[in-house]
């Protein structure tokens, strides 16, 4: 998945410790170290799978004797009953890892499924689906990965990763021009400058100050249209704020380059997946 | 909140590091260390608030000069426009903490709101709402706290915390009686023994083996009714599996003691909350 | 040993770092990386061995080229001169691990040996030997494991693991009944309720409030007898407080279910074990 | 206590987490955040106290509102009933810290008490009592501190801290002279060289190779006497191996400079101390 | 300094632990906890100071009773004998922190001093001095801060922070155009694209593929001049590779926007600073 | 290299995380997981290599599929163009590790090269080259290793490792005699006592108080000569303070045993080394 490995291992280990705690008292009372078993991870509804490679890593951290046979890769659409992977090895360890594996996979697959749906809705428009920083604390890299699996793209990973001048910044700097100048002085020339605007007046100020990207926040369809026309090729155009499944197509129609949605990660329905021993 | 403090601090620090990374390059370019400001945390829709005390802790970890004035405590229902807290202090630090604070509060309040709704639906029945282990990895304690805020109760926190014999255990042990005996031998007498059953036959076996709690998994209303009658006062009765807002009341009507629902934590709509500078 | 692996690895690594520090300056000056050797771990007195699997893990963490050949498993009684394991591999690494391995094994075996002695003393009575939370800080899981190796059982692992209402709680709640009610309201129905009592009056209160377990603290043999009679089958009966090798049998005779002893872990004579190169 | 602060804080935090786990479910159900109380830490038998300052730190880590009033400092002899400290503040937090505080203090005071007894036995001889590396894993610094509190001195803290050439080193190097030369070549001239010997022949070799310290391992009184005479002022003389309360004085009489005993830390009887609410 | 606080604290704590280890055995033997003192941090040669705020933090981590009175802020030029700060408080703690404080300040001030010298050399040209990723492992943020203190600017902080297509990437992608296209497809539109070129041919390819920044690697003055002319306003121009104090002005003369130098951080002469007790 | 393994792994992991951050966005966009490559690590100038084994470890931490073929071991002198190692495996991982590997190797080789030069200058004198505690924070063990690779020896690793009474200690103790006595009382007899002196008067005091090592700080050649004569065989003689390449030989001529130099580690020119794909 190419996520930074050390951090991923720490996330996995913490999650296993959170769930197993001192010991799985039920499993260890019933199942000996030597007992092996075979289990299947099965989709219980239609959706896009994300987290298969991660599931493998989780079982590996728990017990290297577990063999994980991937049947479906991340990004593939499954239907109810499809086998996602087969898990063979020490039965106790498989049971101890089950819940953690499913908790991760169900959430990531839920995100990927939602992104794919949204992307399909606007596939005839140039706009691309982007995520936001409205992610689950400490799972941002994984959730942004799931967004990519679903066909979306990633907005900045953190406050250090890209410049985004928001209304509070503008207010405290005393205007868009002042804010952009302050940023250009202190940050290196290696960063693009994005500014959030709420009116056509502000769009013009942002263009005058040579912003690289202009985020149109929560605008009416009408204003959106005018803003897109004003900006044209002079900057990348992002639409954001209160965009949902319902108004997504209308926004896309206005010709923006990017549509960013918080709901892709902050309000997710888990995809139903289960692990069954055979 | 009485959650284990060391772990909570680590979760907060990780979340801040995840979002701020090396530095908030926009804010630090525009706002000096000396600039102070006043911001309000505002509810944008109706719901039960959870995470106010946590929000205070997050701002404290970031900068101890931030003053956090709580207006609404966890568990209170807010309406659109209600002020939840006022945040006064170094403007840059408040902006750096904003997203992390909201990401936590919106999710926890979303959970509390959902639990409260479900609980209201069955308030005339004896059944209590319980959560499961289907929580977001590494946020379980906080999510289970939000369940309590919403008026629910917590099922076990991890595999070490209580005994729950599931179908795989029964199968590997060779029956309910054998499984319960193995557990009673190896685990201390300080733990109750819960067993998951799928048929009336299994209910009888569980009773014969003196289970303390019997979980009725995914049963029809009819079978549920018979099971409740069979068990009566001999064990605590839990209903689980595929219970949703739609069938919740029907299940509660059957007289179970406990209804446990994964969806309380695995599929949550974030409550809309924002932070605005004044 | 089925202890939570991540924590165990951290304990081992810390212990190795504590002992080796920056470098074993003596060994590394004298013995090259390529020199291999064969050493034996030998019992120097009679006792129950605990920690063999752990010893293997310690050497593995230090150097995966070390081969550890177990001759005696945990729980076995050894006599002076018995070989517990043979250790073959890089001589320098074996020497660097020696002290840490022995420090762990000697303490754990000391505990197991003591538990076994106590258990033998009361083997004709129904009472079982339990440990307490009076363990060495940060080694609780290992010490409780050693108690199990010696034939004892484990009382709660921590304050989160089981309910135990002690005198201070009773006093602050305003009586046993009030305390039990408070606990039943806030904690889930998945936990048994244990209460500590010091008089027959309190025994009756505890029974009236339907405690699941009653701990008889520091009672005279006479009062113990009466308490056991009063409680009979209504609750599990635990005796605790100032129980030693000397009065253990007398307590067991009174018919309690559980005898818990702090001295099993807080005052231990290390079993004499050594590692000798051949 | 001047122990490296960061490590001490980590030890304390781990110990608190080990005992409290997810939450003290009994205390938090019964006692509110606002309830305050006053408790006393009382000696239940005669001994030397060690760990008072540590106890204060533990309560501080738990809750900074706890006031800890020291009545007796480390190194003072207490009798049954003496108050060691008064603890005032949030009752729930005091209860949550009680066991961890006592587990530390009882063990450290047990060590200090034992060291003082041994030291008193040989006070008319020049020999000083030293500890060894036979300490509880991950508590070495604290245990070595307790040895100093009891009037003993500390042998090396780890394998990096001082040179000690033992029999295995001698064997692998091909003799005492060769071993000492290898060490002198590779280690800096800032370290003294100690060598363990088992015969008078080896004593002579060690002297010839200009060892700074000679450890007489497990020698008969007779051989000890001859060795002391041979070495005289040419090196520091340490006696070690199987020294107990019984033979301690006989060893001291032979005129050695240092007597080192593993039992000071590996086999300790906890001093009885309790915390009582008033 | 606005560096991410958690990481900075960890760096400081590790550095203190590295230097103090188990205990400062000399200082603690001689100086009691109560002894206070006053010390001065003095410049021993001319240079730009960096690390004063950090020094304050280090002493705070060690002992909050230390008062640190800043006399000179980061970025100020000092001469031999100038007082940088006064340090008042527990003498033992000041001595324990001395070396760590000086090791940080001397290195950071050495970097700031070098950057300032280089910057002065080219102050009449438009080019700005930038650093590289050739920093001391685990001290990058601090060293990049020192570069800013000296008047330089920061190139990317890590491989995640900005796109830089180097020769190996070009080769593996099969050309500059292919490489830029791959990057634009997978990375978000929020990032500028920089490409490293070694010939005028490659400059043209980079321009054709619409690179945002072109790094001219190790070019002759002549080629540099032609490249600058070719690119003109179409992209930001960076010169890099083997640039030293000697050829710096010649490169700047050619009209590039950015000059990046590894030697600013990989080969630094520490500024001479000392701490003296009064 | 025999450095404490756990700490080394943590240093490597932190360095990789520092450089790679969330993901190498350039490399991962261009190079797939399956693409393999072969690269060479090449010396670009003459010097002593240090860090080859470390480089191997770094690549291993990143990806165990990388094969590292050492061509030159630590301590060997290389010339421009010499191949130090060949690295074969996943191309993306090699590129991600490149900068971290080079940052370490260049610095360590720079140190080894400098130490060797200095050592060669005084090879006809008995004096040995020693380092100091003036090392890069958190890299001390590695830098001291590089000193050994270059033929130097290591002074103490930290404040816990050896006794060194400096001017501030003497002043606070009230004289050399008092300071040495305090140290001998509190520290064990296993440590040598070193004292720093600045005059012949102090040399005499140190001798009278039986110091094991006397450090002659910043003395004129003349005073140095007299001090050496005074001390003769009574103590080890160390010269320190402002010793550089220029005056090194003159100091060595005076017959001291040890010359310690801060510049070996605080002011280092990185050795030029590069990694090239083939």
């Amino acid at each position: 998945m190419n996520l930074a490995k050390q951090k991923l291992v720490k996330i996995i280990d913490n999650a296993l410790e959170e769930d197993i705690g001192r010991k799985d008292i039920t499993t260890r009372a019933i199942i000996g170290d030597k007992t092996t078993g075979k289990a299947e991870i099965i989709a219980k509804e239609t959706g896009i799978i994300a987290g298969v490679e991660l599931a493998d890593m989780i079982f590996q951290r728990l017990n290297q004797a577990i063999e994980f046979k991937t049947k479906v890769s991340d990004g593939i659409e499954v239907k109810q009953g499809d086998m996602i992977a087969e898990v063979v090895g020490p039965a106790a360890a498989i049971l101890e890892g089950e819940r953690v594996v499913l908790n991760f996979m169900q959430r990531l697959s839920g995100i990927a499924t939602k992104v794919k749906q949204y992307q399909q809705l606007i596939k005839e428009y140039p706009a691309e689906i982007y995520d936001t920083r409205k992610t689950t604390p400490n799972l941002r890299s994984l959730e942004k990965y799931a967004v990519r699996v679903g066909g979306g793209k990633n907005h900045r990973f953190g406050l250090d990763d890209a410049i985004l001048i928001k209304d509070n910044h503008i207010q405290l700097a005393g205007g868009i021009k002042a804010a952009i100048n302050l940023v250009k002085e202190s940050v290196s020339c290696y960063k693009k400058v994005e500014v959030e605007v709420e009116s056509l007046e502000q769009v013009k100020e942002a263009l005058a100050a040579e912003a690289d990207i202009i985020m149109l926040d929560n605008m009416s369809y009408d204003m959106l249209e005018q803003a897109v026309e004003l900006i044209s090729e002079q900057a990348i155009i992002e639409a954001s704020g209160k965009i949902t499944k319902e108004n997504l197509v209308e926004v896309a129609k206005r010709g923006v380059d990017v549509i960013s949605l918080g709901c892709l990660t902050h309000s997710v329905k888990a995809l139903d997946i289960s692990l069954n021993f055979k």
Side-chain angles (χ1 to χ4, degrees), chain A:
Chain A
M1 291 178 298
N2 298 337
L3 300 169
K5 195 179 142 195
Q6 317 295 345
K7 292 226 167 153
L8 196 51
V9 165
K10 212 178 289 177
I11 287 171
I12 292 172
D13 286 357
N14 286 345
L16 288 170
E17 189 187 314
E18 180 186 63
D19 194 39
I20 300 176
R22 294 160 180 124
K23 192 169 83 162
D24 179 348
I25 53 176
T26 313
T27 299
R28 292 300 173 175
I30 292 173
I31 303 171
D33 278 355
K34 303 279 163 62
T35 308
T36 57
K38 184 186 285 192
E40 293 175 347
I41 300 182
I42 304 286
K44 307 291 281 293
E45 61 178 318
T46 297
I48 305 297
I49 290 301
V52 175
E53 205 180 325
L54 178 66
D56 190 359
M57 285 181 69
I58 296 169
F59 281 123
Q60 283 305 302
R61 288 298 295 173
L62 210 49
N63 192 322
Q64 298 184 358
I66 295 175
E67 201 186 346
F68 188 92
K69 298 173 185 169
T70 303
K71 303 293 179 187
V72 165
S73 300
D74 283 6
I76 299 297
E77 189 180 270
V78 293
K79 299 211 174 51
Q80 188 185 340
D82 285 359
M83 196 200 302
I84 300 166
E86 198 178 59
V87 192
V88 185
I94 294 174
L95 282 171
E96 284 170 351
E98 171 188 0
R99 189 73 263 139
V100 171
V101 161
L102 293 179
N103 283 350
F104 273 113
M105 283 190 80
Q106 291 187 246
R107 179 161 187 86
L108 298 185
S109 301
I111 291 172
T113 302
K114 188 169 192 171
V115 172
K116 177 66 86 184
Q117 286 172 348
Y118 282 37
Q119 194 212 34
Q120 290 301 307
L121 288 174
I122 61 164
K123 68 182 170 199
E124 51 190 300
Y125 303 99
E128 287 187 296
I129 298 284
Y130 271 71
D131 55 27
T132 65
R133 285 166 43 242
K134 298 182 178 179
T135 54
T136 309
N138 298 326
L139 298 183
R140 182 170 292 166
S141 283
L142 284 167
E143 294 190 345
K144 284 189 170 261
Y145 166 74
V147 168
R148 294 198 301 276
V149 167
K153 284 196 155 184
N154 299 138
H155 208 298
R156 60 181 177 165
F157 277 74
L159 296 165
D160 59 336
D161 193 43
I163 296 162
L164 175 43
I165 300 170
K166 307 189 98 175
D167 51 355
N168 289 314
H169 297 115
I170 293 169
Q171 186 188 328
L172 281 153
I176 286 177
K177 189 181 175 57
I180 290 184
N181 284 346
L182 281 168
V183 162
K184 287 197 171 170
E185 264 164 46
S186 109
V187 184
S188 84
C189 61
Y190 293 87
K191 295 286 183 194
K192 289 187 179 176
V193 176
E194 175 170 17
V195 63
E196 177 186 293
V197 300
E198 289 169 341
S199 66
L200 296 176
E201 200 48 53
Q202 284 192 317
V203 169
K204 287 173 198 161
E205 285 180 55
L207 287 172
E210 297 189 13
D212 298 299
I213 308 161
I214 297 175
M215 180 201 280
L216 309 173
D217 182 40
N218 216 351
M219 288 188 172
S220 66
Y221 299 144
D222 210 49
M223 197 189 288
L224 212 51
E225 218 165 282
Q226 290 176 269
V228 170
E229 201 172 337
L230 262 174
I231 303 170
S232 182
E233 296 293 304
Q234 298 174 78
I236 296 168
I237 307 171
E238 174 178 345
S240 191
K242 310 260 179 207
I243 303 173
T244 62
K245 206 173 170 180
E246 282 64 40
N247 59 14
L248 179 64
V249 173
E250 289 304 311
V251 172
K253 270 186 190 162
R254 267 65 196 183
V256 301
D257 302 304
V258 167
I259 300 176
S260 60
L261 303 103
C263 67
L264 296 182
T265 49
H266 73 48
S267 296
V268 181
K269 199 192 137 301
L271 192 74
D272 198 0
I273 301 172
S274 73
L275 181 149
N276 307 320
F277 263 79
K278 288 197 298 201

